[in-house]
Amino acid sequence: MIPAGVSILEEKHMTGILLYLRHHGGCKKTDLYRDVGRGSRMSEKLDILESEGLLTQCGDRTVILNLTDRGDAIADALADIDGFLTGRD
C-alpha cells in the first residue's frame, strides 16, 4: 500500500529528498543517490513523490529531478520546521 498525505514523509529519506531538491533542483538522479542515499527503494520513493505531485523526473538516459510548485512549498515548510527545531529560525 502506498502511503498518502503527510505519512509519506515518514518513509526514510523522503524529507531528505525534498530538502535536497530544494537546494539542488535540476540535479541528476545519480547525484541524489550519491548525496542522500542509495537504498534499494529510492526509485520507488521518487515515484511516490512524483505521483503525489511533489517532483518531476524527466529524461531517458539521464534523469533530471525537479520539485513542482507544490513540492517546493512543502520543502520550504520542512526547512522552516528544521530551522525552528535547530534554533536557526
Side-chain angles (χ1 to χ4, degrees), residues 30-49:
T30 55
D31 295 337
L32 178 89
Y33 286 2
R34 180 193 66 225
D35 295 339
V36 176
R38 291 186 176 271
S40 61
R41 293 189 55 232
M42 282 296 279
S43 183
E44 178 186 349
K45 291 174 185 185
L46 293 173
D47 290 343
I48 290 169
L49 291 170

Side-chain angles (χ1 to χ4, degrees), residues 1-2 5 11 13 21-22 26 28-29 32 39 50 74 80 85 89:
M1 180 174 161
I2 296 175
E11 290 263 350
H13 298 304
L21 291 176
R22 182 175 182 258
K28 297 176 187 175
K29 191 185 234 183
L32 178 89
E50 185 174 40
I74 291 172
D80 289 344
L85 292 172
D89 57 344

Side-chain angles (χ1 to χ4, degrees), residues 7-23:
S7 64
I8 67 168
L9 300 178
E10 294 175 5
E11 290 263 350
K12 185 176 181 181
H13 298 304
M14 292 299 224
T15 56
I17 292 168
L18 293 172
L19 290 171
Y20 182 84
L21 291 176
R22 182 175 182 258
H23 294 290

